[in-house]
Amino acid sequence: MSIFFNKTLLLMACVLCACCSCSRTPQPVSVIFDTDMGPDYDDVGALTILHALADSGEVKILATVASNRYVHAVPCIELLNTYFGRPDIPLGAPLAGPDINDLPRFPSGYWADTLPVKYPHKIKRTADAPDAVQVYRQILSGQPDTSVTIITVGFFTNLAALLQSPPDRFSELDGTALVRKKVRRLVSMAGSFPQGREFNVFIDSTASITVFNQWPVPILLSGFQIGEAMLTGLRLTAADVQGNPVKEAFRLGLKVDVNGRYSWDQTAVLVGVRGTQKYFGTVKGRMTVLPNGNNTWQDDPDGPHEHLVWKMPKEQLTRIIEDLMMYQPKLRINK
Ligand SMILES: [Ca+2]
């Protein structure tokens, strides 16, 4: 009798729990987005997906910062935020580090000079934006503990500077302690697996080494080979919409990349907000960045890093990503 009673209680408790989980509305993921917006335009696709998922209530965008000093990096971020109805998202830029103007120009990179001429934004030059480290410290200090996801789809310049930042008026914690306290995880498009040489890692290899040696919370990586396998942009540019900076960036870029553009950065936003389970498997271990900017990988079930491996068919995943890239804002502030 008592066994029956206990089983009945257990069953009732399970039913109640199931009901609770059914009715619970998932909390949006709080995200700081860090991009090398400039020569490549998968960053445009990635920021578009972030706004689409913000409109569906899946993400709260806390800040959008640039990781390079290219003059139009922040203007391009801001005009996209404005297009998607969020012109007041905090912006930031690095005080030092790579300037894309110092690098060989991408043949498809002219979109980033074209868009700021045509689309509304307030900050005219990246150098006019607030210091990204200050933005990180101010935003993180005001958030609940272990609540923030940082998504980087560019260089590790800002994150290395954040780790090395001293206590200030925003927080009595140094940068490493502040990240340990406030950040749930870092999700990055970075690295080549099992080893190789990847742009986001080698451009500022000193910063990459600092981050991969010292970052105090888990890191999830979408490696070069993932985004390289998914071409997007052709459906987007064929869409019958006008005055869309996302379509325009891809239209200009695809003049060079005629078969579509690799979807590197979009993958980081997708899993940074929605998690991996539906889309990818992961392997745990440790990524090591060498002084020359190359990286290696060591499998380790207890390691601090993990990288994506295939699960959903690539064609299906490509379609999901491009559908999100074709998202149109619900509310247009600027006509
Ligand atoms: Ca990028």
Side-chain angles (χ1 to χ4, degrees):
M1 184 65 181
S2 68
I3 291 175
F4 173 76
F5 185 67
N6 287 342
K7 279 185 174 175
T8 304
L9 276 179
L10 186 62
L11 183 63
M12 287 172 65
C14 288
V15 169
L16 278 173
C17 283
C19 287
C20 290
S21 63
C22 284
S23 61
R24 192 184 304 140
T25 305
Q27 289 294 308
V29 179
S30 295
V31 166
I32 299 176
F33 181 69
D34 194 324
T35 164
D36 64 329
M37 186 74 72
D40 208 341
Y41 49 105
D42 56 336
D43 300 74
V44 175
L47 185 50
T48 299
I49 291 177
L50 193 65
H51 280 287
L53 299 181
D55 278 358
S56 62
E58 296 173 73
V59 61
K60 179 181 180 186
I61 308 172
L62 300 178
T64 49
V65 300
S67 63
N68 75 57
R69 293 183 297 113
Y70 164 56
V71 64
H72 290 150
V74 168
C76 284
I77 295 170
E78 190 186 22
L79 71 85
L80 289 165
N81 290 346
T82 303
Y83 176 74
F84 285 103
R86 297 184 179 85
D88 299 323
I89 293 175
L91 299 158
L95 292 180
D99 179 338
I100 215 67
N101 286 332
D102 294 337
L103 302 172
R105 194 160 184 90
F106 274 52
S108 58
Y110 299 105
W111 67 267
D113 294 332
T114 303
L115 264 55
V117 178
K118 301 178 64 173
Y119 291 91
H121 59 285
K122 293 193 287 285
I123 293 181
K124 299 305 175 195
R125 303 177 309 152
T126 295
D128 296 336
D131 171 15
V133 172
Q134 296 298 301
V135 173
Y136 267 110
R137 292 189 58 88
Q138 182 172 12
I139 299 283
L140 288 176
S141 64
Q143 295 300 309
D145 291 353
T146 61
S147 69
V148 178
T149 296
I150 296 174
I151 300 177
T152 73
V153 295
F155 320 130
F156 290 91
T157 308
N158 293 327
L159 296 189
L162 171 63
L163 288 180
Q164 295 166 340
S165 64
D168 60 7
R169 63 196 168 101
F170 299 119
S171 173
E172 62 188 11
L173 301 175
D174 65 31
T176 302
L178 184 61
V179 169
R180 183 183 293 113
K181 185 175 173 65
K182 299 294 183 180
V183 178
R184 189 165 74 90
R185 67 172 175 173
L186 167 62
V187 180
S188 291
M189 188 279 126
S192 181
F193 303 101
Q195 73 279 315
R197 183 170 177 77
E198 192 277 312
F199 187 77
N200 287 344
V201 175
F202 74 72
I203 287 294
D204 189 351
S205 57
T206 303
S208 302
I209 290 169
T210 298
V211 170
F212 283 91
N213 284 347
Q214 300 178 24
W215 193 255
V217 297
I219 301 178
L220 172 64
L221 297 158
S222 176
F224 179 87
Q225 291 79 8
I226 296 289
E228 187 196 27
M230 293 183 286
L231 292 171
T232 50
L234 293 182
R235 281 201 298 132
L236 166 66
T237 52
D240 184 21
V241 293
Q242 305 299 322
N244 178 345
V246 183
K247 175 180 173 178
E248 186 145 3
F250 275 80
R251 184 181 64 77
L252 293 168
L254 293 188
K255 287 183 177 179
V256 177
D257 306 310
V258 294
N259 294 317
R261 187 60 184 164
Y262 307 118
S263 305
W264 289 299
D265 293 351
Q266 295 92 324
T267 61
V269 172
L270 186 69
V271 300
V273 175
R274 289 185 168 172
T276 57
Q277 195 167 10
K278 186 174 171 186
Y279 306 109
F280 293 98
T282 62
V283 176
K284 292 193 86 171
R286 177 180 288 278
M287 181 168 122
T288 301
V289 180
L290 307 175
N292 66 2
N294 291 4
N295 78 269
T296 60
W297 175 263
Q298 181 69 49
D299 283 350
D300 177 355
D302 299 319
H305 309 148
E306 56 186 332
H307 73 81
L308 301 180
V309 294
W310 294 106
K311 180 176 175 182
M312 179 180 278
K314 295 168 193 172
E315 297 74 18
Q316 190 179 351
L317 203 43
T318 303
R319 189 157 192 93
I320 290 170
I321 286 172
E322 189 149 10
D323 281 347
L324 289 167
M325 290 164 55
M326 294 169 71
Y327 176 74
Q328 287 293 294
K330 284 178 182 167
L331 174 65
R332 291 289 305 279
I333 286 180
N334 301 288
K335 298 289 180 188

